Amino acid sequence: MGPVLRISGHGALTITLKGLKARQAAALSQILPSSKIGADPHPAPISFQREQSAGTVPHEIIMTGAPRELRRLSLRLAEEQRALPGLADTFHSLLDNYLRSDYKINCGGMVLDLGSRTHVMGILNATPDSFSDGGRYADAESALAHAREMAAAGADIIDIGGESTRPGARPVAEEEELRRIIPLIERLSAELSVPISVDTYKSSVAKKALAAGARIVNDISGLRFSPDMADVVAGSGAAVVIMHIKGTPRDMQRDPVYDDVVGEVMACLEEGLELAARAGVDREKIFIDPGIGFGKTLEHNLALLDRLDEFQALGRPIVLGTSRKKFIGAVLNVPAPEQRVDGTAATVALGIERGARVVRVHDVARMAQVAKMTDAIVKAGRTQGNSA
Ligand code: HH2
């Protein structure tokens, strides 16, 4: 029998440093080969690649290595403060954020331990026109029954919405949105032991929902559509989901264009985090969400999913909302949303592997199983020593 060769991409991370000045790139190039040295008898080396750029063009360095080796490199960089000021801190916090999984979110007094397992957010659309389940839970009794059923099936959060934000949807008047959701929030927050989240971008609705017992504000506009939404959240002690959208539900699917969809969505979420910070929202209460289907083509959605792990660099837990969405129907050629459950399962499993900590889904019982199975696999990988 000949030699056995094995290769695996598992456990290696790639860090790209852009915009370096020539002397910084030169200083880093000096350090990088020597960062192979370590106490480990079989250190995984850091490989690096320096983009050759002429004159004043910023340099780029791409490093690939095991998390433990990159951590060692960050210590080595700290010794080079003079040549590379601030780089060690940035590098260190980037790694910390990327590898962090111990999030505990205090939602108005109820704590979600996201480090223990992936959490499932069950969708309750109290609307006549949602893309997948519009009209099914428009009357209070069926909505309450469905929420109870989702909680019993393993939902960790119940997300209640009174306005569809599907592509092309028109806004609903505030009074109508309140009429649809407030009685449900009052009943369910008193009855269930899981937090209730309110899916709204209107600060006036969020305020009343929080008073009625909601503990999370899920804002598809990332605090942008209502100027005082961040203030409402800050003053309440509630947690908040900052989601990315390009445009408004009405116009978002009219030919959305990005140069670099992941980079642009990340930058927008970062701005949302800054906006929240300025209003005094506790950063430890914030979830981020790339907003699958909100101003994105099929290719954009697939790229966001494939590179979802990059959002971990923002240091906040990722919510992923792919459930039954149109891009799944486009890939599988399945027009009926309720027949997109297997496709949803694929996105949930892959999303968790890429770092999603909360999955927002219609089919709670089935996706809770998918999440549990995926968690077990991911955990097995971690205990085999891929962590830093
Ligand atoms: N997607 C929808 C609504 N709210 N919130 C977050 N955080 N992430 C999402 O991806 C997301 C969301 C759209 O789905 P749905 O509620 O099922 O449909 P509709 O807007 O038609 O009610």
Side-chain angles (χ1 to χ4, degrees):
M1 207 171 83
V4 178
L5 289 183
R6 282 194 183 161
I7 186 159
S8 163
H10 241 70
L13 300 181
T14 296
I15 295 185
T16 306
L17 285 172
K18 291 184 176 182
L20 292 167
K21 296 200 174 74
R23 58 180 169 72
Q24 293 175 315
L28 253 178
S29 309
Q30 293 278 310
I31 295 167
L32 284 165
S34 63
S35 62
K36 289 178 192 172
I37 306 156
D40 194 330
H42 304 292
I46 295 168
S47 68
F48 79 99
Q49 181 187 325
R50 180 175 169 188
E51 293 293 314
Q52 296 295 345
S53 30
T56 54
V57 183
H59 289 237
E60 187 173 306
I61 284 190
I62 302 168
M63 290 158 280
T64 304
R68 202 178 298 135
E69 290 304 319
L70 291 168
R71 186 74 82 196
R72 259 181 215 155
L73 174 61
S74 82
L75 298 176
R76 178 80 181 82
L77 288 175
E79 295 164 13
E80 304 290 333
Q81 281 293 357
R82 255 151 77 94
L84 301 160
L87 187 61
D89 288 346
T90 312
F91 201 93
H92 205 67
S93 65
L94 188 73
L95 263 181
D96 276 353
N97 284 347
Y98 188 91
L99 297 168
R100 183 173 173 189
S101 61
D102 63 340
Y103 294 103
K104 279 199 174 72
I105 308 264
N106 186 329
C107 312
M110 275 187 189
V111 178
L112 297 178
D113 181 2
L114 304 182
S116 62
R117 60 189 167 76
T118 302
H119 279 47
V120 176
M121 179 186 253
I123 303 170
L124 180 60
N125 285 320
T127 55
D129 57 346
S130 286
F131 81 93
S132 164
D133 49 4
R136 281 193 68 182
Y137 312 113
D139 74 280
E141 281 318 309
S142 56
L144 289 168
H146 185 54
R148 290 178 190 124
E149 199 178 275
M150 288 195 289
D156 299 288
I157 302 165
I158 303 288
D159 187 40
I160 305 181
E163 173 176 334
S164 170
T165 49
R166 72 188 185 287
R170 286 161 190 265
V172 168
E174 180 189 326
E175 304 71 52
E176 176 59 15
E177 197 178 339
L178 290 169
R179 189 193 65 75
R180 293 175 183 175
I181 63 170
I182 296 297
L184 298 176
I185 294 174
E186 280 170 348
R187 286 276 293 273
L188 292 169
S189 63
E191 199 183 301
L192 301 179
S193 57
V194 297
I196 305 298
S197 146
V198 59
D199 186 350
T200 189
Y201 56 80
K202 298 189 190 85
S203 57
S204 50
V205 172
K207 205 170 186 169
K208 292 191 173 121
L210 293 170
R215 293 166 191 269
I216 302 171
V217 175
N218 175 22
D219 183 352
I220 59 130
S221 83
L223 307 174
R224 281 160 210 264
F225 291 175
S226 293
D228 62 339
M229 183 63 112
D231 294 326
V232 168
V233 172
S236 70
V240 61
V241 182
I242 293 182
M243 198 197 81
H244 174 269
I245 182 171
K246 191 178 175 92
T248 64
R250 190 89 199 272
D251 62 18
M252 64 190 179
Q253 289 309 103
R254 285 188 207 142
D255 192 25
V257 176
Y258 301 82
D259 285 332
D260 160 21
V261 66
V262 174
E264 290 172 44
V265 172
M266 287 253 282
C268 215
L269 290 176
E270 208 159 8
E271 276 171 35
L273 290 171
E274 281 160 19
L275 198 159
R278 281 197 298 278
V281 177
D282 180 356
R283 195 178 165 91
E284 291 297 309
K285 287 182 186 286
I286 304 177
F287 301 83
I288 53 167
D289 183 334
I292 298 293
F294 285 84
K296 283 112 187 166
T297 61
L298 168 63
E299 288 70 29
H300 296 144
N301 290 318
L302 297 177
L304 287 167
L305 263 170
D306 181 40
R307 293 173 56 192
L308 193 71
D309 64 299
E310 295 181 33
F311 289 88
Q312 296 177 126
L314 294 176
R316 298 309 308 147
I318 300 168
V319 175
L320 182 66
T322 53
S323 190
R324 300 184 178 185
K325 282 186 179 169
K326 200 171 163 188
F327 80 106
I328 297 174
V331 171
L332 301 181
N333 195 17
V334 178
E338 59 282 4
Q339 284 171 18
R340 298 174 187 158
V341 184
D342 293 338
T344 301
T347 65
V348 165
L350 182 115
I352 294 170
E353 194 274 333
R354 302 278 206 273
R357 303 311 307 139
V358 178
V359 288
R360 181 182 182 276
V361 296
H362 298 87
D363 306 282
V364 169
R366 289 176 68 177
M367 295 311 136
Q369 283 206 354
V370 173
K372 195 170 178 182
M373 193 65 225
T374 312
D375 280 353
I377 301 166
V378 170
K379 198 170 169 190
R382 293 230 171 93
T383 48
Q384 276 164 30
N386 287 333
S387 57

